[in-house]
Amino acid sequence: MSKGITDGYRAGIKSIVDMNKEKMNYVEDPMFDVKWTKVDKAAVKRFKMEAFMVAGVGSYELQEELKKLGVDVMEGVITDFDTFELEARKKMMEYGVGLGDQPPTGWIETNLNTAITSSLHAARWNRLNDPDVTEVYPALQYKSQRDGRVRLEHQRLEGKVFMKDDVVWRTIYPPNGWNCRCYVEPVTADDELMKSVEKTTKETRKEYDGEVHEDFKHNSGMDRSIWERWLKMKLAGMPWNEVQKLKTLIRESKL
């Protein structure tokens, strides 16, 4: 997971550098450098810590779900073993636990995919706002994968063009959900898409914000956070000693 986040961030930087080279004649210029700044390093460190905690929260939640089923058996809510086994298997499948003693791969995979995507897009945001590049791309276009798997709310954002400094990007910048595959396409000053730029108002921003899940209403490039709201809510529901275990593991690990 740690390597995935680093690789994702590096890929985000490289994607902007490659795009610069494609759109402009290559010269010796800082905008064509694949460089790591203090902002980049701080962001990657934060992403790794959050990914570690989110993975831990997922495992803890599965344990709690199975404990509840055990209580239901003891209290007679579940009266036969077959029903208990069926419910327990369903819970484990929800968290990605397959047959046998497999680890919760589904949960970890979702966590990993979202962390890498968030890391990649944070790198793109930071690079697009780098002083050497920021004036080249004044606007961004929201893009989805335009297939049957795209969430309906994300389809409504497809193709929208907003200035890069529009407040709306604080909440709708992707990823906007677990396993979200949306992205943004930078728009140059001379691009025809500049004619489609929409200047948001308080009312329209509220409408666009409504298309994003509450847990993902933030910009990982601005805030250097992946799941801050979700994580705070989940940690608040965990026992203090469990939270401390997670934090200790993070401090002692080489992220």
Side-chain angles (χ1 to χ4, degrees):
M1 187 176 294
S2 178
K3 183 178 184 301
I5 289 173
T6 302
D7 289 347
Y9 201 95
R10 182 179 290 109
I13 295 176
K14 187 175 184 301
S15 68
I16 298 300
V17 171
D18 288 345
M19 185 178 63
N20 292 338
K21 291 180 179 179
E22 180 182 342
K23 291 182 178 293
M24 290 157 267
N25 292 326
Y26 178 76
V27 292
E28 290 296 329
D29 192 284
M31 73 170 61
F32 300 123
D33 293 339
V34 180
K35 60 183 180 181
W36 284 72
T37 66
K38 290 182 179 179
V39 171
D40 297 327
K41 292 175 182 177
V44 169
K45 177 74 173 179
R46 176 68 179 268
F47 293 161
K48 290 179 181 179
M49 288 192 294
E50 283 198 10
F52 198 116
M53 284 196 275
V54 169
V57 170
S59 300
Y60 170 81
E61 286 188 307
L62 172 57
Q63 291 176 29
E64 291 302 295
E65 293 284 359
L66 295 177
K67 285 179 185 177
K68 289 176 185 176
L69 288 176
V71 171
D72 286 344
V73 171
M74 290 186 289
E75 294 183 347
V77 177
I78 296 177
T79 56
D80 62 275
F81 178 78
D82 288 343
T83 301
F84 168 76
E85 183 181 22
L86 179 61
E87 291 300 315
R89 287 186 182 278
K90 284 168 58 178
K91 287 294 180 186
M92 287 189 285
M93 290 299 291
E94 288 175 13
Y95 285 85
V97 182
L99 298 176
D101 291 327
Q102 298 179 9
T105 51
W107 171 253
I108 296 299
E109 183 178 4
T110 297
N111 180 7
L112 175 61
N113 289 342
T114 306
I116 292 174
T117 302
S118 185
S119 182
L120 185 149
H121 289 305
R124 287 172 62 87
W125 176 267
N126 289 334
R127 197 54 72 247
L128 288 169
N129 285 278
D130 187 287
D132 296 323
V133 179
T134 188
E135 293 182 4
V136 177
Y137 306 105
L140 302 173
Q141 183 181 35
Y142 192 101
K143 303 285 286 183
S144 72
Q145 295 295 332
R146 290 182 290 182
D147 58 24
R149 294 168 54 199
V150 177
R151 298 167 175 85
L152 179 61
E153 56 269 28
H154 295 181
Q155 290 177 17
R156 298 190 186 108
L157 293 169
E158 161 68 33
K160 296 288 184 180
V161 182
F162 307 106
M163 295 300 288
K164 194 166 53 180
D165 60 0
D166 195 304
V167 181
V168 73
W169 290 117
R170 180 166 284 279
T171 49
I172 72 164
Y173 189 77
N176 289 320
W178 297 105
N179 281 329
C180 175
R181 299 171 298 141
C182 295
Y183 61 101
V184 296
E185 193 70 37
V187 180
T188 56
D190 59 352
D191 196 301
E192 283 292 311
L193 285 171
M194 288 300 293
K195 297 177 181 178
S196 305
V197 170
E198 177 183 337
K199 184 176 176 59
T200 64
T201 63
K202 185 177 180 179
E203 288 71 27
T204 56
R205 282 196 296 274
K206 184 176 180 181
E207 176 185 339
Y208 293 134
D209 290 352
E211 308 300 349
V212 179
H213 192 282
E214 192 66 30
D215 296 337
F216 286 83
K217 287 184 178 180
H218 69 277
N219 182 322
S220 58
M222 289 183 183
D223 302 332
R224 298 201 295 279
S225 173
I226 305 178
W227 313 287
E228 185 175 11
R229 295 187 185 196
W230 183 91
L231 191 55
K232 283 183 178 178
M233 178 183 67
K234 294 299 183 181
L235 288 177
M238 289 179 68
W240 180 86
N241 63 314
E242 294 289 342
V243 175
Q244 294 309 306
K245 284 181 184 178
L246 277 174
K247 291 183 176 180
T248 299
L249 286 170
I250 291 169
R251 283 195 298 269
E252 293 177 352
S253 65
K254 294 181 180 179
L255 297 174

